[in-house]
PDB file of all heavy atoms in Angstrom:
ATOM      1  N   ILE A 387       0.979  -9.577  16.693  1.00  0.00           N
ATOM      2  CA  ILE A 387      -0.288  -9.051  16.172  1.00  0.00           C
ATOM      3  C   ILE A 387      -1.160  -8.555  17.329  1.00  0.00           C
ATOM      4  O   ILE A 387      -1.794  -7.506  17.237  1.00  0.00           O
ATOM      5  CB  ILE A 387      -1.033 -10.123  15.342  1.00  0.00           C
ATOM      6  CG1 ILE A 387      -0.239 -10.452  14.081  1.00  0.00           C
ATOM      7  CG2 ILE A 387      -2.431  -9.635  14.964  1.00  0.00           C
ATOM      8  CD1 ILE A 387      -0.730 -11.696  13.351  1.00  0.00           C
ATOM      9  N   LYS A 388      -1.166  -9.301  18.410  1.00  0.00           N
ATOM     10  CA  LYS A 388      -1.950  -8.900  19.579  1.00  0.00           C
ATOM     11  C   LYS A 388      -1.344  -7.691  20.289  1.00  0.00           C
ATOM     12  O   LYS A 388      -2.052  -6.927  20.954  1.00  0.00           O
ATOM     13  CB  LYS A 388      -2.066 -10.065  20.561  1.00  0.00           C
ATOM     14  CG  LYS A 388      -2.975 -11.185  20.084  1.00  0.00           C
ATOM     15  CD  LYS A 388      -3.038 -12.312  21.106  1.00  0.00           C
ATOM     16  CE  LYS A 388      -4.021 -13.394  20.671  1.00  0.00           C
ATOM     17  NZ  LYS A 388      -4.051 -14.522  21.648  1.00  0.00           N
ATOM     18  N   ALA A 389      -0.021  -7.500  20.145  1.00  0.00           N
ATOM     19  CA  ALA A 389       0.668  -6.452  20.897  1.00  0.00           C
ATOM     20  C   ALA A 389       0.687  -5.100  20.198  1.00  0.00           C
ATOM     21  O   ALA A 389       0.858  -4.059  20.844  1.00  0.00           O
ATOM     22  CB  ALA A 389       2.104  -6.885  21.198  1.00  0.00           C
ATOM     23  N   ILE A 390       0.519  -5.071  18.865  1.00  0.00           N
ATOM     24  CA  ILE A 390       0.600  -3.806  18.124  1.00  0.00           C
ATOM     25  C   ILE A 390      -0.496  -2.856  18.599  1.00  0.00           C
ATOM     26  O   ILE A 390      -1.677  -3.203  18.596  1.00  0.00           O
ATOM     27  CB  ILE A 390       0.477  -4.051  16.605  1.00  0.00           C
ATOM     28  CG1 ILE A 390       1.676  -4.854  16.100  1.00  0.00           C
ATOM     29  CG2 ILE A 390       0.379  -2.722  15.846  1.00  0.00           C
ATOM     30  CD1 ILE A 390       1.509  -5.370  14.670  1.00  0.00           C
ATOM     31  N   SER A 391      -0.090  -1.655  18.984  1.00  0.00           N
ATOM     32  CA  SER A 391      -1.054  -0.669  19.487  1.00  0.00           C
ATOM     33  C   SER A 391      -1.442   0.320  18.394  1.00  0.00           C
ATOM     34  O   SER A 391      -0.773   0.423  17.355  1.00  0.00           O
ATOM     35  CB  SER A 391      -0.452   0.106  20.668  1.00  0.00           C
ATOM     36  OG  SER A 391       0.598   0.947  20.222  1.00  0.00           O
ATOM     37  N   HIS A 392      -2.522   1.043  18.650  1.00  0.00           N
ATOM     38  CA  HIS A 392      -2.943   2.079  17.707  1.00  0.00           C
ATOM     39  C   HIS A 392      -1.856   3.133  17.571  1.00  0.00           C
ATOM     40  O   HIS A 392      -1.606   3.641  16.462  1.00  0.00           O
ATOM     41  CB  HIS A 392      -4.256   2.713  18.172  1.00  0.00           C
ATOM     42  CG  HIS A 392      -4.816   3.706  17.201  1.00  0.00           C
ATOM     43  ND1 HIS A 392      -4.665   5.063  17.353  1.00  0.00           N
ATOM     44  CD2 HIS A 392      -5.510   3.534  16.038  1.00  0.00           C
ATOM     45  CE1 HIS A 392      -5.253   5.685  16.353  1.00  0.00           C
ATOM     46  NE2 HIS A 392      -5.777   4.783  15.533  1.00  0.00           N
ATOM     47  N   ARG A 393      -1.179   3.494  18.634  1.00  0.00           N
ATOM     48  CA  ARG A 393      -0.079   4.458  18.556  1.00  0.00           C
ATOM     49  C   ARG A 393       1.060   3.914  17.691  1.00  0.00           C
ATOM     50  O   ARG A 393       1.636   4.649  16.897  1.00  0.00           O
ATOM     51  CB  ARG A 393       0.420   4.771  19.976  1.00  0.00           C
ATOM     52  CG  ARG A 393       1.750   5.537  20.042  1.00  0.00           C
ATOM     53  CD  ARG A 393       1.677   6.885  19.345  1.00  0.00           C
ATOM     54  NE  ARG A 393       0.889   7.848  20.047  1.00  0.00           N
ATOM     55  CZ  ARG A 393       1.349   8.625  21.021  1.00  0.00           C
ATOM     56  NH1 ARG A 393       2.598   8.510  21.431  1.00  0.00           N
ATOM     57  NH2 ARG A 393       0.561   9.513  21.583  1.00  0.00           N
ATOM     58  N   ASP A 394       1.380   2.624  17.859  1.00  0.00           N
ATOM     59  CA  ASP A 394       2.402   2.007  16.999  1.00  0.00           C
ATOM     60  C   ASP A 394       2.034   2.181  15.531  1.00  0.00           C
ATOM     61  O   ASP A 394       2.875   2.526  14.696  1.00  0.00           O
ATOM     62  CB  ASP A 394       2.520   0.504  17.294  1.00  0.00           C
ATOM     63  CG  ASP A 394       3.092   0.194  18.663  1.00  0.00           C
ATOM     64  OD1 ASP A 394       3.893   1.000  19.179  1.00  0.00           O
ATOM     65  OD2 ASP A 394       2.739  -0.869  19.214  1.00  0.00           O
ATOM     66  N   MET A 395       0.751   1.931  15.228  1.00  0.00           N
ATOM     67  CA  MET A 395       0.286   2.009  13.845  1.00  0.00           C
ATOM     68  C   MET A 395       0.395   3.432  13.301  1.00  0.00           C
ATOM     69  O   MET A 395       0.889   3.640  12.185  1.00  0.00           O
ATOM     70  CB  MET A 395      -1.166   1.528  13.756  1.00  0.00           C
ATOM     71  CG  MET A 395      -1.759   1.562  12.347  1.00  0.00           C
ATOM     72  SD  MET A 395      -0.999   0.354  11.264  1.00  0.00           S
ATOM     73  CE  MET A 395      -1.681  -1.177  11.921  1.00  0.00           C
ATOM     74  N   MET A 396      -0.045   4.414  14.062  1.00  0.00           N
ATOM     75  CA  MET A 396      -0.001   5.794  13.592  1.00  0.00           C
ATOM     76  C   MET A 396       1.443   6.260  13.405  1.00  0.00           C
ATOM     77  O   MET A 396       1.761   6.959  12.441  1.00  0.00           O
ATOM     78  CB  MET A 396      -0.739   6.706  14.574  1.00  0.00           C
ATOM     79  CG  MET A 396      -2.236   6.432  14.683  1.00  0.00           C
ATOM     80  SD  MET A 396      -3.097   6.423  13.085  1.00  0.00           S
ATOM     81  CE  MET A 396      -2.798   8.113  12.529  1.00  0.00           C
ATOM     82  N   ASP A 397       2.319   5.876  14.318  1.00  0.00           N
ATOM     83  CA  ASP A 397       3.734   6.249  14.191  1.00  0.00           C
ATOM     84  C   ASP A 397       4.342   5.627  12.939  1.00  0.00           C
ATOM     85  O   ASP A 397       5.116   6.280  12.217  1.00  0.00           O
ATOM     86  CB  ASP A 397       4.519   5.799  15.431  1.00  0.00           C
ATOM     87  CG  ASP A 397       4.200   6.634  16.660  1.00  0.00           C
ATOM     88  OD1 ASP A 397       3.594   7.714  16.514  1.00  0.00           O
ATOM     89  OD2 ASP A 397       4.559   6.197  17.769  1.00  0.00           O
ATOM     90  N   TYR A 398       4.006   4.373  12.678  1.00  0.00           N
ATOM     91  CA  TYR A 398       4.549   3.677  11.508  1.00  0.00           C
ATOM     92  C   TYR A 398       4.013   4.292  10.217  1.00  0.00           C
ATOM     93  O   TYR A 398       4.751   4.478   9.241  1.00  0.00           O
ATOM     94  CB  TYR A 398       4.180   2.191  11.592  1.00  0.00           C
ATOM     95  CG  TYR A 398       4.952   1.311  10.643  1.00  0.00           C
ATOM     96  CD1 TYR A 398       6.250   0.912  10.930  1.00  0.00           C
ATOM     97  CD2 TYR A 398       4.374   0.857   9.462  1.00  0.00           C
ATOM     98  CE1 TYR A 398       6.962   0.098  10.064  1.00  0.00           C
ATOM     99  CE2 TYR A 398       5.069   0.032   8.588  1.00  0.00           C
ATOM    100  CZ  TYR A 398       6.368  -0.340   8.899  1.00  0.00           C
ATOM    101  OH  TYR A 398       7.059  -1.147   8.028  1.00  0.00           O
ATOM    102  N   PHE A 399       2.737   4.607  10.217  1.00  0.00           N
ATOM    103  CA  PHE A 399       2.111   5.247   9.056  1.00  0.00           C
ATOM    104  C   PHE A 399       2.802   6.570   8.732  1.00  0.00           C
ATOM    105  O   PHE A 399       3.164   6.842   7.580  1.00  0.00           O
ATOM    106  CB  PHE A 399       0.624   5.468   9.349  1.00  0.00           C
ATOM    107  CG  PHE A 399      -0.130   6.222   8.289  1.00  0.00           C
ATOM    108  CD1 PHE A 399      -0.242   5.727   7.001  1.00  0.00           C
ATOM    109  CD2 PHE A 399      -0.758   7.433   8.586  1.00  0.00           C
ATOM    110  CE1 PHE A 399      -0.944   6.414   6.012  1.00  0.00           C
ATOM    111  CE2 PHE A 399      -1.462   8.125   7.617  1.00  0.00           C
ATOM    112  CZ  PHE A 399      -1.556   7.617   6.334  1.00  0.00           C
ATOM    113  N   ARG A 400       3.022   7.401   9.726  1.00  0.00           N
ATOM    114  CA  ARG A 400       3.655   8.708   9.505  1.00  0.00           C
ATOM    115  C   ARG A 400       5.120   8.573   9.091  1.00  0.00           C
ATOM    116  O   ARG A 400       5.640   9.401   8.349  1.00  0.00           O
ATOM    117  CB  ARG A 400       3.542   9.555  10.767  1.00  0.00           C
ATOM    118  CG  ARG A 400       2.098   9.921  11.137  1.00  0.00           C
ATOM    119  CD  ARG A 400       2.042  10.880  12.305  1.00  0.00           C
ATOM    120  NE  ARG A 400       0.671  11.135  12.727  1.00  0.00           N
ATOM    121  CZ  ARG A 400       0.135  10.664  13.857  1.00  0.00           C
ATOM    122  NH1 ARG A 400       0.868   9.935  14.683  1.00  0.00           N
ATOM    123  NH2 ARG A 400      -1.115  10.939  14.166  1.00  0.00           N
ATOM    124  N   LEU A 401       5.774   7.525   9.580  1.00  0.00           N
ATOM    125  CA  LEU A 401       7.188   7.328   9.269  1.00  0.00           C
ATOM    126  C   LEU A 401       7.411   6.933   7.814  1.00  0.00           C
ATOM    127  O   LEU A 401       8.332   7.433   7.160  1.00  0.00           O
ATOM    128  CB  LEU A 401       7.768   6.248  10.192  1.00  0.00           C
ATOM    129  CG  LEU A 401       9.233   5.844   9.942  1.00  0.00           C
ATOM    130  CD1 LEU A 401      10.163   7.023  10.206  1.00  0.00           C
ATOM    131  CD2 LEU A 401       9.608   4.644  10.805  1.00  0.00           C
ATOM    132  N   TRP A 402       6.556   6.056   7.286  1.00  0.00           N
ATOM    133  CA  TRP A 402       6.807   5.466   5.972  1.00  0.00           C
ATOM    134  C   TRP A 402       5.919   5.978   4.847  1.00  0.00           C
ATOM    135  O   TRP A 402       6.335   5.989   3.689  1.00  0.00           O
ATOM    136  CB  TRP A 402       6.664   3.946   6.068  1.00  0.00           C
ATOM    137  CG  TRP A 402       7.767   3.314   6.844  1.00  0.00           C
ATOM    138  CD1 TRP A 402       7.702   2.833   8.127  1.00  0.00           C
ATOM    139  CD2 TRP A 402       9.121   3.122   6.423  1.00  0.00           C
ATOM    140  NE1 TRP A 402       8.928   2.347   8.502  1.00  0.00           N
ATOM    141  CE2 TRP A 402       9.816   2.516   7.488  1.00  0.00           C
ATOM    142  CE3 TRP A 402       9.809   3.406   5.234  1.00  0.00           C
ATOM    143  CZ2 TRP A 402      11.164   2.178   7.410  1.00  0.00           C
ATOM    144  CZ3 TRP A 402      11.161   3.078   5.152  1.00  0.00           C
ATOM    145  CH2 TRP A 402      11.826   2.473   6.224  1.00  0.00           C
TER     146      TRP A 402
END
Side-chain angles (χ1 to χ4, degrees):
I387 294 168
K388 288 180 176 178
I390 295 169
S391 69
H392 185 260
R393 168 60 71 86
D394 292 331
M395 180 68 72
M396 295 307 299
D397 288 346
Y398 194 79
F399 175 61
R400 295 186 185 108
L401 176 64
W402 290 104

